[in-house]
Amino acid sequence: MSLHTNTPLQPPSDAMARTVTGGPIRGSYKIYSSPAGWPQLRVPFRKVDLSDPAEAPLQLYDASGPYTDPGYQVDLSKGLPPLREPWLAARGLEPDTAARLAGDGSHRGSTPVCPAPLTLRRGVAGKPLTQLEFARAGIVTEEMAYAAHRENLGRAEAARDAAERRADGEDFGAAIPTWVTPEFVRDEIACGRAILPANINHPELEPMLIGRNFLVKVNANIGNSAVSSGVAEEVEKLVWSTRWGADTVMDLSTGQDIHSIRSWIMRNSPVPIGTVPIYQALELVGGDPLKLDWPVFRDTLIEQAQQGVDYFTIHAGVRLAHVPLTANRVTGIVSRGGSIMARWCLAGHRENFLYTHFAEICEICRRYDVSLSLGDGLRPGSQADANDAAQFAELETLGELTRIAWDHGCQVMVEGPGHVPMHKIKANMDKQLAACGEAPFYTLGPLTTDVAPGYDHITSGIGAAMIGWFGTAMLCYVTPKEHLGLPNRDDVKTGVITYKIAAHAADLAKGHPAARVRDDALSRARFDFRWEDQFHLALDPDTAYAFHDETMPKAAHKQARFCSMCGPKFCSMKISQDLRDDVRAMEAAPCGDEAMAPVAGGLHVVGA
Amino acid sequence: MSLHTNTPLQPPSDAMARTVTGGPIRGSYKIYSSPAGWPQLRVPFRKVDLSDPAEAPLQLYDASGPYTDPGYQVDLSKGLPPLREPWLAARGLEPDTAARLAGDGSHRGSTPVCPAPLTLRRGVAGKPLTQLEFARAGIVTEEMAYAAHRENLGRAEAARDAAERRADGEDFGAAIPTWVTPEFVRDEIACGRAILPANINHPELEPMLIGRNFLVKVNANIGNSAVSSGVAEEVEKLVWSTRWGADTVMDLSTGQDIHSIRSWIMRNSPVPIGTVPIYQALELVGGDPLKLDWPVFRDTLIEQAQQGVDYFTIHAGVRLAHVPLTANRVTGIVSRGGSIMARWCLAGHRENFLYTHFAEICEICRRYDVSLSLGDGLRPGSQADANDAAQFAELETLGELTRIAWDHGCQVMVEGPGHVPMHKIKANMDKQLAACGEAPFYTLGPLTTDVAPGYDHITSGIGAAMIGWFGTAMLCYVTPKEHLGLPNRDDVKTGVITYKIAAHAADLAKGHPAARVRDDALSRARFDFRWEDQFHLALDPDTAYAFHDETMPKAAHKQARFCSMCGPKFCSMKISQDLRDDVRAMEAAPCGDEAMAPVAGGLHVVGA
């Protein structure tokens, strides 16, 4: 379905066998703008100019990083510009000399570590280090101001009728402000209702927010597999998914070279990167869950934290006592991490070491400001298992762990299901808010039926839109290949676009004050037959163009005042516009024409 | 995305230049079964045998007609077997000799009328003719018994724990019975809460029900365009969409040969066919809305009713007084029929002739048992216009018309939007139920955002699932080409599958007693690594196979106890099953092992 008409950028390094996708997204160009009072910040947006002079250009949120900036020369071995470096340098952090970054047991393959320079840092005790600690101390960081500016997208345009737009939504207790100040961001982070995932060793990051009073975000999963190979190929997955709007990316790689491949991803990622460290730990013990232990896991955490990973999924909620609750399930335990830890617990009849060592995990995460993403290892894998005792027992534990993380100064979000029929979705949100003190919820779908393998981006997009509306802060995408195979490039794009739809539908329904600005601009373009404006405002301009070309390929058709579905005679919008012409004629007629008055009197032609 | 691995059936007639798709859907075969007490009825289902002897075969609802029966020889010029002929013959109907069927002004092209025989009938006054009249008279028709049997799909399998399943849903006031008796169907039709669209001149029809206490249904739109040509090509659109589950099909053809092409569709359709007669009427007056009048429209209605069209979309709710209410809209009037009638009203400053002649429309429809589908000509075409005064003013009128139709003995359903953000969807359902006396609601999506042209099957699938849950009886599909171009074969399939997902997700959420039978069977297959069972139970087995083949193409991989996503070491379901083996071992251990007791005591291995 998706088209790849974009200019590939050739990385200059000889070491790179392949290219990553770059250049502007069709119909838009990159701009940078600085929030008032923060001239040193350059916050990226995409800008779409429209063909009608009466229509103001539209700015769009931009997660794609420098790759869509034509002025940026890709060199994967140099990495992205470390835009946070001056901010971090001023914070009195100490150098981290523990040398895990040099490689370890997991680095068995032939891939070299990314040579991009990195000033390795760690936090010190007694001084604010994490965004949460800064927020609690009343300090607005550069990251907060940067992210606030991103969140204000469209709010100036919407300001005129913001009150009306707000009243239009149902926010289920969210409190989305008319204007996002850096202080509002600070307050949301301070109370744990939002996180700003930003490892101090990821200076290339463009800061963003995850919280239910901000735009709903989307995560895409990438990861190398047995058959994949090159470093550029892995980085391209990152670049490709963020190009279409992924706000964060999880690297779920397993296998050899996991450490060195991640180094390339980190140094070239403009978005927060999440990992599931238990995967690498399992590699280190030869793949046998029963051989896992705390020291191996601890060292893995430190290694990944030093690399700059922004959030860790930790399956500390899978407690020994929960495992029997899964025994009568139709689909047992479907989370990889969850099944690994359940087996570990049960085989030795012992408590999950991630749970017993959770305070130490927090200490490591705090030192680098790695956010915690509390994994739902017991999430349901089928409609039959949704909202069962195992799932909700774990959720209670995740609430307990949330508070421990907060006590350690760590930012934390909570992962959620999974497979859930529509009528059971809201209970998930309500219970999560109650159990976890409003920490951001981060869900996988949920899939609203099990009967459509091959279309699970859709079965889950339905659930994602709904739970996003109810308050979920970030939606983890599902691709059409879910349950069946490894997603290819088209699948990744389809998954991301589907989830951008879900997230945006959620923003609209919540009454986000600026969400409808884009819908309205596109709808006006549609009604005015400004075809190219319509395409440029679309989530996927390439596909919109290609579909239109299929039936009306000529350039002149892009000016046609009808479309191929109905033809000129049956075009409702054409007829509807003729209607307006009728009205114009009537309004120009003498007032004495009383028969017309009741109709014409009520008509106000849009744009007239 | 979709694959066409099905055997094409060669129609024997020389007149047919092309084939239509036939043969069984992969992994299933056709069966017929008779409801108790009705041995003369042969109701079709698809049956899926599963590889695990412990798993009962599963029956699936089958809208595909004889085309998926390997014993059926397609001959489009002969038409489908007229299975209702003996039922109709026994009802004392009179022959209809008005010869509009022979062709008229709309038959200007070169396509011959389908030569399949048809005993043309019309109703007589004073005797029950429509399914509504029979129902009110306390009579259960063959159609009702047939459709009841279809609706009982899976209920025997679910009966064991039906009470539990029912309790699981939220039905918003629907009253879905544990078992669908013919008498229940009669009662639902009698009170207008369901319709059984079945023109007496469509004897080839396999009866089905539209109502919120039955399975949620899906409609697909087809129609010839300027570029399309052959009759077989048009019939193939019908066959292709019903193959993937479309419960009804609307023929939205415009242009020449509209009458003769429809004759081929009618004689070869196992599902109810709907039309929008104003399109043909507009052709007859040369495409100028202002030249439309009642006589032209009346004759068109009679002609199409004689052909066997099962339901008519009538835009009688677009009243003169409503038109000004659309003037400030972002996207005006986006319904073709609505814009035609609005222009007609406004140009002459006169009331819509479909409204003023509505009683006569009902008389015609009653004579052939054509169901009325009251068009929402003022449905919103953008988020901005959702739930506005124009839309709801029309809805009130549709309620008024519903009662008039009922007074004339006509079956009636009501069409709904359109473009609606999630938080405004439920109000549409609630208002429709209140305004229209619980007549079935039939909605187009709704699309929950305007920003994704190219993906509007998804933007609308979200809204369709939700409004289906809230009580909408039938969902009109939207394809990926919506707003951009004419759907091709793949688009039609993608649209139908997306809407089958929405409808099924709605059935699950409503607590339909048997809906989860299929999800559970598929999920068990998934957890047991019965790959082929999983594919055969899928809405689209072809795509599920193809996606699995992409990464694991070998036949042996269909027996693999892991999948390509995680590989053998990281497969959660493999680990989860190892966990069960651990438990089995524990349970076999001596009882004295007290340390194990608290865990093992709670474990009951599924299937053990």
Side-chain angles (χ1 to χ4, degrees), chain B residues 346-382:
Chain B
L346 201 66
H349 198 259
R350 53 196 165 180
E351 188 56 277
N352 183 341
F353 69 81
L354 300 174
Y355 179 80
T356 56
H357 290 273
F358 191 69
E360 291 153 273
I361 291 172
C362 292
E363 283 164 16
I364 295 167
C365 288
R366 187 259 164 199
R367 205 180 301 151
Y368 304 93
D369 200 3
V370 179
S371 297
L372 285 153
S373 185
L374 300 176
D376 57 332
L378 304 181
R379 67 168 175 267
S382 57

Side-chain angles (χ1 to χ4, degrees), chain A residues 231-249:
Chain A
V231 154
E233 189 178 333
E234 294 307 311
V235 176
E236 169 63 4
K237 292 177 188 170
L238 161 76
V239 171
W240 183 246
S241 55
T242 56
R243 179 177 185 84
W244 299 113
D247 296 288
T248 78
V249 166

Side-chain angles (χ1 to χ4, degrees), chain A residues 8 20 102 162 184 226 277 305 402 414 474 493:
Chain A
V20 297
F184 178 79
T402 297
V414 176
M474 185 158 76
K493 180 175 174 181

Side-chain angles (χ1 to χ4, degrees), chain B residues 286-310:
Chain B
D288 181 356
L290 307 188
K291 293 192 180 142
L292 284 166
D293 61 18
W294 167 243
V296 166
F297 189 78
R298 179 196 58 212
D299 292 351
T300 302
L301 284 188
I302 295 170
E303 175 191 326
Q304 295 197 8
Q306 289 178 334
Q307 281 191 306
V309 172
D310 301 287

Side-chain angles (χ1 to χ4, degrees), chain A residues 168 423 450 455 540 550, chain B residues 168 423 455 481 519 540 550:
Chain A
D168 205 30
H423 65 292
D450 307 334
Y455 299 81
D540 177 2
E550 267 186 48
Chain B
D168 204 33
H423 65 293
Y455 299 82
K481 288 279 169 59
D519 295 77
D540 177 2
E550 266 186 48

